[in-house]
Amino acid sequence: MFSSRVFSRSKNLAKPSYLIFSRSLTNFWGNVEMGPPDPILGITERYNKDPNPKKINLGVGAYRDDEGKPYILNSVQEAERRIFKENLNHEYAGILGVPEFVKASQKLLFGENSENLLKRVSSAQALSGTGALRIGADFCKRFLYSNKDFYVPDPTWANHIPLFKDAGFNVKKYLYYDEEKISLDWLGIVNHLTVLPERSNILFHVCAHNPTGVDPNPKQWSEISKICLERNHLVLFDSAYQGFASGDPEKDAYPVRKFISDGHNPIICSSFAKNFGLYGERVGAIHVVCESEEKKEQIESQLKILIRPIYSNPPIFGARIVAKILNDPELSDQWKEEVSGMARRIIDMRKALVDNLRTIGSRRNWSHINRQIGMFCYSGLSPEQVDRLANEFSIYLVRTGRISMAGITSDNVEYLARAIHEVTSQKSE
């Protein structure tokens, strides 16, 4: 028990330091400023607040059916039912992921007869395409000591730039798209890749280039492969749409398989969001093609070291779904039909938009819409025309003129065509 003498002395003690400096604690984050809003999320927010019953959201990069609703593949639903019946546990996957999924993802990308190649491929499950790209970027930064630049096409998926910057690279662009011709800048690509320093790091979109929908043809891919091989460039492929672009997973994998057959050892980052409709499950994979089986083991060990302090183990449910589908002939065939159906709907909507523009009387050449492939269309609309579509017609898209074709349906395509005609016709400019 404290004496009154001790108690009286305690009243004269200095105030605790946490009280004296409590005011300064509030300044820890004083240098944190408001970040810029995400342009895609901003579009969705405006769309959601718009009361117009004819409003259209052409900004979101997610597939919708012809009623404008999210689409759950029947093969995915059946795989879910089978997984549920198996009453599986919820233990951790290994650092490199669910083995059945990793193997299935390899076969989908490299082909059924790729056993010899797979002996020298290091693969890991990742958090969809974004996670795979980040692992790839961090891996390159860790082991490509002298090369601090990474080249991406101009334009490219917006997230490529902060992703590689955050990994520590200087992000630079190579010529890819001709805005005036609304087509591939073929001479620009060839000349730029040729003059880049030897051993440059180059990112390519495997298919359905985002945002332009413009891909090289097989002959052009062959020439690109030759240039990169002669210049000893490191190639990293972003494969976000295998099967979703043309409707044929084999056809869409052509650039990857061509480069490997030519002698490249690329890195490939795959996503299963679009082609399986598993957006929120975050299913992806990274594959590093190595020069030998021994090097494969070494790189695999380093992928584990890289992944462990980030998220330790990937989620298992989405990976189990993909594995169940790809490893079952019946479900795999069903999935191929469904992904082909999704691709066909996008192609049909391209044709319907162009046909409606012609019927309405537009004199502009819209043939590029049909030539482009995949979820996105680079329309050629100016930022001012995009603003008019939003303000006057409640049609929302990115100011670059990129249209998410999945947002077009049989019911709204005529309204969209009339709006586009109105903002692009000579009388309205």
Side-chain angles (χ1 to χ4, degrees):
M1 199 168 181
F2 291 110
S3 68
S4 59
R5 188 175 182 183
V6 173
F7 181 76
S8 63
R9 282 189 61 195
S10 68
K11 290 191 292 184
N12 297 322
L13 292 176
K15 292 182 179 179
S17 59
Y18 68 81
L19 293 177
I20 295 174
F21 295 109
S22 62
R23 184 175 298 175
S24 66
L25 294 179
T26 62
N27 295 325
F28 277 147
W29 313 119
N31 63 337
V32 177
E33 299 177 351
M34 178 65 72
D38 185 285
I40 304 297
L41 294 180
I43 289 171
T44 301
E45 288 174 2
R46 288 188 65 191
Y47 169 83
N48 289 337
K49 293 177 181 178
D50 193 328
N52 188 344
K54 292 186 176 182
K55 64 183 179 180
I56 306 174
N57 187 350
L58 302 178
V60 178
Y63 181 78
R64 297 291 183 263
D65 64 17
D66 201 42
E67 295 181 358
K69 297 178 181 178
Y71 177 57
I72 303 175
L73 280 67
N74 292 324
S75 55
V76 167
Q77 293 179 321
E78 178 58 27
E80 288 176 325
R81 281 191 286 267
R82 295 185 188 184
I83 291 169
F84 182 75
K85 287 180 180 179
E86 291 174 9
N87 196 27
L88 301 174
N89 62 47
H90 297 278
E91 294 295 304
Y92 290 121
I95 295 176
L96 296 180
V98 177
E100 297 83 2
F101 162 76
V102 174
K103 190 71 174 176
S105 71
Q106 291 176 329
K107 288 294 183 70
L108 180 66
L109 182 64
F110 300 112
E112 285 295 328
N113 299 317
S114 56
E115 288 81 5
N116 288 334
L117 171 65
L118 295 180
K119 293 176 182 177
R120 57 184 183 93
V121 176
S122 295
S123 300
Q125 184 182 335
L127 304 181
S128 201
T130 305
L133 285 163
R134 186 53 192 261
I135 293 170
D138 285 346
F139 180 79
C140 289
K141 183 61 181 174
R142 184 168 293 187
F143 293 102
L144 299 176
Y145 305 108
S146 59
N147 198 336
K148 302 189 183 302
D149 299 329
F150 224 107
Y151 290 87
V152 300
D154 183 16
T156 193
W157 180 45
N159 213 20
H160 281 149
I161 296 171
L163 192 152
F164 282 92
K165 278 186 177 179
D166 284 355
F169 282 102
N170 302 315
V171 180
K172 299 182 178 181
K173 296 180 178 180
Y174 62 87
L175 296 175
Y176 186 86
Y177 181 74
D178 188 324
E179 287 190 2
E180 289 187 9
K181 296 180 180 178
I182 317 180
S183 64
L184 194 72
D185 185 357
W186 175 237
L187 290 179
I189 292 174
V190 170
N191 292 334
H192 208 156
L193 293 179
T194 302
V195 301
L196 288 180
E198 287 192 7
R199 299 176 66 86
S200 289
N201 306 318
I202 317 289
L203 182 145
F204 294 113
H205 299 231
V206 174
C207 60
H209 179 274
N210 179 2
T212 68
V214 176
D215 291 345
N217 61 39
K219 185 178 179 180
Q220 290 169 331
W221 273 123
S222 181
E223 182 65 20
I224 291 170
S225 172
K226 180 182 177 183
I227 294 170
C228 290
L229 204 60
E230 290 174 349
R231 302 294 294 167
N232 202 17
H233 293 329
L234 172 75
V235 172
L236 186 150
F237 281 112
D238 183 356
S239 179
Y241 298 95
Q242 186 181 355
F244 191 93
S246 69
D248 182 355
E250 297 294 303
K251 182 179 180 180
D252 290 347
Y254 172 80
V256 172
R257 298 178 188 180
K258 174 60 178 173
F259 272 59
I260 293 172
S261 69
D262 286 348
H264 290 274
N265 293 321
I267 298 173
I268 308 98
C269 302
S270 298
S271 168
F272 295 82
K274 307 292 193 304
N275 52 3
F276 281 79
L278 295 172
Y279 303 94
E281 300 299 338
R282 312 312 291 149
V283 189
I286 179 171
H287 309 279
V288 183
V289 181
C290 313
E291 62 266 26
S292 66
E293 292 182 44
E294 180 185 10
K295 185 56 64 177
K296 168 193 172 180
E297 299 300 323
Q298 294 169 350
I299 289 179
E300 212 164 78
S301 71
Q302 293 296 336
L303 289 176
K304 289 179 181 178
I305 291 170
L306 186 63
I307 292 169
R308 176 67 169 134
I310 303 176
Y311 56 82
S312 285
N313 317 81
I316 59 177
F317 186 61
R320 283 174 171 172
I321 291 174
V322 174
K324 181 67 70 178
I325 292 171
L326 293 181
N327 291 324
D328 182 281
E330 179 187 352
L331 288 179
S332 181
D333 287 344
Q334 184 180 22
W335 168 73
K336 289 175 184 177
E337 289 181 9
E338 290 181 296
V339 76
S340 177
M342 290 192 289
R344 281 198 306 273
R345 194 186 92 72
I346 296 295
I347 293 169
D348 289 346
M349 288 301 101
R350 289 181 180 277
K351 185 177 184 301
L353 178 58
V354 173
D355 288 348
N356 272 273
L357 283 163
R358 288 172 179 163
T359 300
I360 291 165
S362 176
R363 296 182 180 180
R364 290 184 58 156
N365 182 2
W366 298 102
S367 61
H368 59 277
I369 295 177
N370 283 327
R371 290 196 307 269
Q372 294 169 8
I373 191 171
M375 181 172 288
F376 299 110
C377 161
Y378 234 39
S379 64
L381 296 171
S382 69
E384 294 75 22
Q385 290 167 340
V386 170
D387 290 342
R388 286 193 60 196
L389 286 176
N391 297 331
E392 298 176 27
F393 300 95
S394 299
I395 298 172
Y396 298 93
L397 57 147
V398 185
R399 295 190 82 233
T400 59
R402 188 198 78 169
I403 292 174
S404 176
M405 296 302 300
I408 303 177
T409 68
S410 299
D411 288 338
N412 66 26
V413 65
E414 182 182 351
Y415 176 72
L416 172 63
R418 290 188 179 280
I420 291 176
H421 177 51
E422 179 64 29
V423 301
T424 56
S425 61
Q426 207 148 17
K427 65 179 181 180
S428 65
E429 292 178 343

